[in-house]
Amino acid sequence: MKQKRNRLEIIRDILLTIKARNGRIKPTHIIYKSNLSYQMFREYLTELIDQELVLEIEDKKGRKRYELTRKGMNYLRDYSLIKNFTQSYGLE
Amino acid sequence: MQFAPLSPTWFLGYDVLFEIFFAVITFLISWLAFRVYRLTASNRTKLFAAAFLFISLSYTIELVYNFMIVTALNQNIHYSITFLTINVLHTLGIFSQAILMVIGLSILTYACLRVNKRRVLALILALTLSVILLEEDPLFYYFIFSTIFLAFISAYFFENYLSHKQLKTGLLSLGFVFLLLAKFYYIFSESNLLFYALGHFLELIAYTFITANLVLVLKK
């Protein structure tokens, strides 16, 4: 049985999904690709926007799109460091 | 108040080398924790970063005054430093080292206990620092408090090892057990100088384990 994803892994999956679509993606695609419920998605997305890992952009028609910030890119680049450090020091 | 040097004469100078290693490793942990904090915004990670920064500063102060004492005793560089100056340096050094280390370990214990009330941290700091500043033998209490804090911190890292059972968590857990042993031996260093050297050797083993963990953490 596949192990349940932890918080860091879910954040990584969301960021990877956004990155895979050249940095611009609709919310429905993120929910589908990152395998989250709508409620969970909203919670994580709010957190990621607050932490400036993801940027929310509204087009002329009022549709929302998401793209990675430089900090979001750094998160993906340093993901193994974050995971190893938080695991070692019990910070998960 | 007058302090006698803690280090046995044969160990003078070597302790400085050990302390450089301890200061660098703890600074590296603090820097990594801060880097992780900037990306995750986790408050506990920020506390870890602050705690290890204080610990690193404590080692830095310790190595600086130990180095100054060694050079003063050798009388090669600083001819003007008298025995009185050595004692003043030693007193100031011990006080600042103890205060910084106790602050660092208090923050680390607070973070390990997963308490979210800042007043608890303020209370721990007020109690420990007041004893160190007011007691006649601050060094003894500094070692006692450090040992107590490290007992809690070691238990935390051991629990973390049990929940992950990985090499990296095991190395860190072992490292903190050796740090606890080192601080315990330091308690007796005022009555027997050999314990000071023994404490340093145990700390060296501890930081070797912690460095091995760091290598695994930095591995992609």
Side-chain angles (χ1 to χ4, degrees):
Chain A
M1 202 172 77
K2 212 175 171 184
Q3 225 182 356
K4 205 177 159 191
R5 289 179 299 172
N6 65 26
R7 200 177 148 273
L8 290 177
E9 285 168 334
I10 294 172
I11 291 174
R12 180 204 54 189
D13 289 348
I14 295 173
L15 296 180
L16 277 175
T17 306
I18 298 172
K19 193 188 172 196
R21 288 291 184 107
N22 286 329
R24 284 179 179 244
I25 190 168
K26 292 178 189 171
T28 45
H29 282 131
I30 304 174
I31 295 170
Y32 172 69
K33 293 275 183 184
S34 55
N35 199 18
L36 287 171
S37 67
Y38 181 74
Q39 180 62 31
M40 289 271 280
F41 164 73
R42 287 304 324 168
E43 284 173 23
Y44 274 103
L45 193 66
T46 307
E47 192 184 321
L48 295 182
I49 293 167
D50 287 347
Q51 282 183 39
E52 295 171 351
L53 293 167
V54 168
L55 194 65
E56 191 176 63
I57 300 160
E58 211 166 300
D59 65 16
K60 286 173 188 170
K61 290 177 183 171
R63 289 176 301 201
K64 282 175 182 169
R65 297 276 195 282
Y66 299 92
E67 64 178 51
L68 281 194
T69 60
R70 182 176 284 274
K71 200 175 163 186
M73 291 284 194
N74 290 344
Y75 185 100
L76 289 175
R77 188 196 62 200
D78 292 341
Y79 177 72
S80 65
L81 166 74
I82 297 170
K83 189 183 158 201
N84 288 338
F85 190 87
T86 51
Q87 242 173 30
S88 288
Y89 287 84
L91 294 163
E92 292 156 310
Chain B
M1 198 180 323
Q2 189 165 317
F3 292 93
L6 282 177
S7 179
T9 41
W10 60 269
F11 195 59
L12 275 170
Y14 292 107
D15 51 355
V16 177
L17 291 176
F18 283 34
E19 286 147 12
I20 292 172
F21 177 57
F22 307 157
V24 169
I25 295 302
T26 43
F27 181 77
L28 193 59
I29 298 170
S30 170
W31 176 71
L32 283 177
F34 187 68
R35 220 173 118 182
V36 171
Y37 161 70
R38 285 188 66 184
L39 292 169
T40 60
S42 147
N43 264 332
R44 283 183 67 229
T45 312
K46 185 170 70 176
L47 287 171
F48 269 70
F52 280 102
L53 185 64
F54 276 109
I55 294 170
S56 179
L57 284 173
S58 166
Y59 283 125
T60 308
I61 298 243
E62 190 179 0
L63 79 89
V64 166
Y65 83 72
N66 275 340
F67 178 75
M68 288 173 88
I69 287 168
V70 171
T71 46
L73 286 174
N74 285 337
Q75 296 271 311
N76 291 327
I77 303 167
H78 300 287
Y79 294 98
S80 58
I81 294 180
T82 60
F83 182 72
L84 184 70
T85 322
I86 293 172
N87 246 319
V88 171
L89 270 179
H90 200 64
T91 311
L92 283 175
I94 292 269
F95 259 121
S96 16
Q97 176 216 342
I99 288 167
L100 288 168
M101 182 64 83
V102 165
I103 293 174
L105 290 176
S106 302
I107 297 173
L108 198 56
T109 309
Y110 171 78
C112 289
L113 291 173
R114 298 170 200 267
V115 188
N116 284 323
K117 299 260 182 224
R118 290 289 157 103
R119 283 181 190 180
V120 175
L121 178 61
L123 177 68
I124 298 172
L125 285 171
L127 287 173
T128 49
L129 293 179
S130 59
V131 172
I132 288 174
L133 290 169
L134 300 172
E135 268 296 325
E136 271 197 31
D137 189 359
L139 207 54
F140 175 74
Y141 288 96
Y142 153 57
F143 291 138
I144 292 277
F145 287 137
S146 302
T147 308
I148 294 169
F149 285 138
L150 276 162
F152 281 92
I153 297 165
S154 303
Y156 166 84
F157 282 111
F158 184 65
E159 279 169 16
N160 188 46
Y161 164 68
L162 289 181
S163 61
H164 287 98
K165 291 214 171 132
Q166 289 176 338
L167 178 63
K168 56 177 183 269
T169 51
L171 287 167
L172 204 56
S173 175
L174 266 173
F176 277 92
V177 168
F178 274 98
L179 270 186
L180 167 65
L181 287 173
K183 291 292 180 197
F184 177 72
Y185 279 110
Y186 282 135
I187 295 172
F188 310 103
S189 58
E190 279 182 295
S191 50
N192 189 338
L193 299 184
L194 198 63
F195 284 106
Y196 175 85
L198 187 60
H200 266 68
F201 279 111
L202 286 168
E203 267 191 291
L204 183 66
I205 297 170
Y207 282 108
T208 307
F209 281 122
I210 294 170
T211 308
N213 163 273
L214 275 184
V215 171
L216 293 178
V217 165
L218 290 168
K219 219 167 138 185
K220 286 267 175 189

